[in-house]
Amino acid sequence: MPFISLTRLGRGEDIRFARRSVVIFAVSCGLLAGVGLAVLVLAYRAADAERWVNHAIEVRQVAREVMNSALNAETGVRGFLLTEDPLFLEPYDAALSVLPGRLDEVRRLTADNPEQQVALARITQTTAALLDVYRQMLALAKQGDRGRAVDLVRVKAGKDLMDGLRAQIDAFTRTEVGLLEERQVLAQRLRVALAAAAIGALVIVIGLAAFLARITLHYVNRLADRTVELERETERRRESEATLVQALKMEAVGQLSGGIAHDFNNMLTIIIGNLDTLQRRLKDQGAIAADVAARLARPIEMALQGARSAAELTRRLLAFSRRQALAPVQTDLNRLVAGTSELLRRTVGEAVSIETVLAGGLWATLVDANGLENVLINLVVNARDAMPDGGRVTIETANVYLDEAYAARFGDIAAGQYVLLSVSDTGGGIASELMARVFEPFFTTKSGGQGSGLGLAMVHGFVKQSGGHIRLYSEVGQGTTVKIYLPRLAHAEQMPAAPAEAPPAPAGLPRARPGETILAVEDNDSVRDYAMSALVELGYRVIAARDADEALRVVERGERIDLLFTDVVLGSGPNGRELADRIGKTLAGLPVLFTTGYTRNAIVHHGRLDPGVHLLDKPFTQQDLARKVRELLDNRPASSQ
């Protein structure tokens, strides 16, 4: 099942949300702008309608004032004629002064209405005719001809003019009233539309505010998520940096240990080999007095034990610095755990119980089986030491998948399928402040000077060199769990399987057959002398060479050679691998046994022993050498025998 990054998924959702938000915001802004424009238009039209309403009211008012002025003029003239009192002419005089102006005002106010302009022209004519009658009446009265003036009052023409003026002004006013009603209805409609538009704008504004609040809340939440993600990323980066620091530290220590391992192992080969020879010869009671042999046996054994401890220390240095030569094979972890269970139970004692939880259908893995057995034993022994009063050790296997998010936390492991080997204990656990140092070389949580501090460092180096991943989880008072992830072997049928359990070794050392000759190539004189002595003692004919050139001259002489035993590092000339390749062109199928205290690139690549290469690590004893040589000679092709 493909792994989907939550971070990428979150970013994709953010992009889609942002796009939807932009569209919604743009549409909302467009609607708001449209409604706002409509509000402005409606507000303008409503104001204009109100202005026209006021205009109609004003026109009607001025028209009424014209009529009132005409009536006042008539009343003043009649009052003067009846009383001859000049005071009654004041309304008449006032009407004469205001009527032209009021008619002009009405004319101005109705300038946009041609129909009203025509009606106003008739009103003006009637008013002028009526005023002419009033002027004639007053002129006759002032001339003393009061009778004729009174007769003009009785004349029907004057009354008709007044009635006509009243009718014209009433008609003019009714027209304006009609316009007023229409404009009031329009103004009311515009006010309703304006209110509706304002409410719509308010709704849009509220909706837009809610939408902006939602966007703000969304991005606040995303900011919180990003903050958490940043914290996680910081933690992942911190873990990756810690992994890188550990790798650089291992590289530096590895270069140092690799630089001294070859020469140191050569010296240990000389020490262990000669002590082993001395120990064997002391058993020959004919060669030395029994009491002398008894006195020397203990010191020799202690010296051997110290030399072997030094060799183990060197091996662990190479292991944790990822410089050991591994021989990975197809391995079934369930079978490996089951095969070592009895040994583990004997190792931890009766106070500690061992439980195994083995997964069904477990995938195969490619790993150095012997090295993994040592790792398992080391972890179980550590678990035992963490439970001095007894407890339980659980060994578990499982198929697991490490996703990209997990792999990104550390930076030194690829996402994919892995086989899990887990070792848990019920001990006291490890304090959190010490967790960062558990894989450091020479660091130990054991008290009383127990342990070298190389156990977990060696385990870490072996797992990383095998292309795996290791994590340690612990809580004080709850115990510790070490999880080892080894890559799944996808094409197990194409890989060599782990060899079956070797049969018990025969009693005594396997010896040479008649005439078998070994070409031993070693640039260290003492190591070469020890190897020659050990092989001759086993019955082999040995031809010694100090470098590749000397060995090639032996081959050129046509000497019989049944096996090439060579150090990988041979000084300034060709190395052991190059020597074997050259001799192989002349002696096809010749068995080759390499030995080395440390080498990285000649027969080991990517931390793994090259296919078909047989290696005897230094330091070695006569027993190790005898069994390995016999194994190669007995399994050589028939054509080369």
Side-chain angles (χ1 to χ4, degrees):
M1 177 180 177
F3 172 75
I4 301 176
S5 170
L6 293 178
T7 301
R8 294 178 183 174
L9 182 60
R11 290 175 181 172
E13 290 179 348
D14 278 351
I15 292 174
R16 289 192 292 273
F17 180 82
R19 290 174 177 172
R20 290 196 300 269
S21 300
V22 169
V23 172
I24 295 173
F25 184 76
V27 172
S28 300
C29 289
L31 289 174
L32 184 61
V35 173
L37 181 62
V39 168
L40 291 176
V41 172
L42 289 173
Y44 174 78
R45 293 189 62 186
D48 188 59
E50 290 292 339
R51 182 174 62 81
W52 282 110
V53 168
N54 295 331
H55 176 272
I57 293 173
E58 184 179 4
V59 170
R60 188 179 64 174
Q61 182 66 30
V62 175
R64 287 176 179 174
E65 290 177 356
V66 170
M67 186 64 205
N68 290 335
S69 296
L71 291 174
N72 290 336
E74 180 186 28
T75 301
V77 169
R78 288 186 178 187
F80 177 75
L81 292 177
L82 291 175
T83 63
E84 294 183 356
D85 186 353
L87 292 177
F88 281 95
L89 291 178
E90 290 180 358
Y92 170 75
D93 294 336
L96 288 179
S97 64
V98 300
L99 273 175
R102 286 175 177 168
L103 288 172
D104 289 341
E105 185 176 359
V106 174
R107 188 177 296 107
R108 179 183 60 79
L109 291 174
T110 58
D112 61 323
N113 192 332
E115 181 180 352
Q116 289 292 76
Q117 287 284 300
V118 172
L120 182 61
R122 289 196 295 268
I123 290 173
T124 302
Q125 292 175 357
T126 302
T127 302
L130 186 61
L131 291 178
D132 285 343
V133 171
Y134 291 157
R135 279 192 289 270
Q136 292 177 19
M137 292 170 64
L138 291 176
L140 291 173
K142 290 178 179 180
Q143 292 173 3
D145 194 354
R146 185 173 176 275
R148 290 183 59 189
V150 173
D151 289 340
L152 286 177
V153 175
R154 298 189 181 99
V155 174
K156 189 175 185 295
K159 184 177 182 300
D160 290 342
L161 287 174
M162 177 58 70
D163 292 341
L165 178 62
R166 181 180 288 107
Q168 290 172 351
I169 291 178
D170 288 344
F172 185 88
T173 302
R174 282 195 301 273
T175 300
E176 287 297 323
V177 169
L179 291 175
L180 174 61
E181 292 176 350
E182 292 177 0
R183 289 166 179 172
Q184 284 177 332
V185 171
L186 177 61
Q188 179 62 26
R189 290 176 180 175
L190 289 174
R191 282 193 294 270
V192 172
L194 178 61
I199 293 173
L202 180 61
V203 170
I204 293 176
V205 169
I206 293 174
L208 189 58
F211 177 70
L212 291 175
R214 181 176 180 273
I215 291 179
T216 303
L217 180 61
H218 170 80
Y219 283 108
V220 166
N221 291 335
R222 291 303 298 159
L223 179 61
D225 293 341
R226 292 289 172 83
T227 301
V228 173
E229 183 179 340
L230 181 60
E231 292 175 352
R232 292 175 180 171
E233 180 64 27
T234 302
E235 180 63 24
R236 287 195 294 266
R237 184 172 299 177
R238 187 181 299 113
E239 291 176 340
S240 297
E241 290 174 351
T243 302
L244 177 60
V245 169
Q246 179 72 9
L248 293 174
K249 188 184 299 182
M250 294 303 100
E251 181 68 23
V253 176
Q255 290 179 355
L256 176 62
S257 61
I260 67 173
H262 182 268
D263 292 337
F264 190 59
N265 278 328
N266 274 338
M267 291 185 284
L268 288 175
T269 301
I270 298 168
I271 295 171
I272 292 176
N274 284 283
L275 285 172
D276 180 65
T277 300
L278 180 59
Q279 191 178 52
R280 290 197 316 273
R281 292 179 181 177
L282 282 176
K283 294 178 181 179
D284 184 1
Q285 297 295 326
I288 191 169
D291 60 337
V292 175
R295 288 197 302 270
L296 294 178
R298 178 63 177 169
I300 292 174
E301 180 61 35
M302 293 181 65
L304 274 173
Q305 184 177 349
R308 291 191 187 104
S309 297
E312 176 65 16
L313 176 62
T314 305
R315 187 183 68 81
R316 291 194 173 200
L317 284 171
L318 292 176
F320 91 79
S321 58
R322 310 175 199 177
R323 295 298 195 278
Q324 60 183 332
L326 301 180
V329 292
Q330 176 185 330
T331 303
D332 181 347
L333 290 191
N334 283 348
R335 181 178 299 178
L336 185 144
V337 171
T340 57
S341 294
E342 186 59 33
L343 172 61
L344 294 175
R345 288 187 174 91
R346 291 198 304 268
T347 301
V348 299
E350 297 180 355
V352 176
S353 64
I354 294 181
E355 297 180 1
T356 57
V357 182
L358 306 181
L362 191 68
W363 298 326
T365 185
L366 186 66
V367 69
D368 188 309
N370 292 329
L372 188 58
E373 282 185 1
N374 290 334
V375 164
L376 181 58
I377 293 171
N378 195 299
L379 293 177
V380 172
V381 169
N382 278 351
R384 178 202 64 188
D385 294 342
M387 302 180 293
D389 298 327
R392 183 178 67 257
V393 176
T394 302
I395 303 173
E396 183 180 359
T397 62
N399 296 327
V400 298
Y401 176 78
L402 300 183
D403 58 30
E404 293 180 358
Y406 182 90
R409 289 176 56 192
F410 304 101
D412 64 338
I413 188 70
Q417 296 175 327
Y418 289 82
V419 184
L420 170 67
L421 175 63
S422 173
V423 178
S424 303
D425 64 59
T426 57
I430 302 173
S432 58
E433 62 270 17
L434 301 179
M435 288 290 290
R437 302 185 59 194
V438 292
F439 293 125
E440 290 184 5
F442 307 112
F443 174 79
T444 180
T445 59
K446 298 177 182 179
S447 60
Q450 297 179 353
S452 64
L454 285 175
L456 283 178
M458 179 198 71
V459 171
H460 182 273
F462 174 84
V463 172
K464 300 310 297 180
Q465 190 174 348
S466 300
H469 178 64
I470 181 171
R471 292 295 293 166
L472 188 145
Y473 306 89
S474 187
E475 185 175 347
V476 175
Q478 300 298 319
T480 301
T481 296
V482 179
K483 292 186 176 183
I484 295 174
Y485 301 88
L486 297 172
R488 177 190 181 183
L489 182 59
H491 304 289
E493 68 280 357
Q494 300 178 5
M495 301 301 301
E501 187 175 347
L509 295 179
R511 302 183 65 82
R513 295 175 183 174
E516 287 182 328
T517 302
I518 296 176
L519 175 58
V521 186
E522 171 62 60
D523 61 339
N524 187 290
D525 295 337
S526 298
V527 176
R528 186 174 63 253
D529 292 341
Y530 164 68
M532 286 182 59
S533 173
L535 290 170
V536 168
E537 190 174 328
L538 293 169
Y540 294 98
R541 175 173 173 259
V542 180
I543 303 175
R546 67 180 65 252
D547 55 31
D549 294 334
E550 186 175 346
L552 289 172
R553 287 195 293 269
V554 172
V555 175
E556 291 172 358
R557 291 200 304 265
E559 295 276 0
R560 172 182 173 174
I561 300 175
D562 296 288
L563 180 140
L564 172 63
F565 177 54
T566 178
D567 192 0
V568 176
V569 180
L570 295 175
S572 60
N575 59 38
R577 183 58 183 268
E578 294 169 341
L579 171 63
D581 291 341
R582 292 187 186 183
I583 294 178
K585 295 177 181 178
T586 303
L587 302 175
L590 178 70
V592 179
L593 176 60
F594 292 99
T595 184
T596 185
Y598 164 73
T599 183
R600 188 171 188 183
N601 297 320
I603 60 175
V604 176
H605 293 85
H606 306 294
R608 297 178 178 180
L609 201 63
D610 292 346
V613 171
H614 301 277
L615 177 66
L616 178 63
D617 285 319
K618 294 179 180 178
F620 56 82
T621 64
Q622 185 187 42
Q623 292 91 333
D624 300 328
L625 180 59
R627 292 191 178 96
K628 199 68 178 178
V629 168
R630 191 70 263 161
E631 176 187 336
L632 265 64
L633 288 173
D634 291 343
N635 293 322
R636 58 182 165 170
S639 58
S640 64
Q641 295 183 13

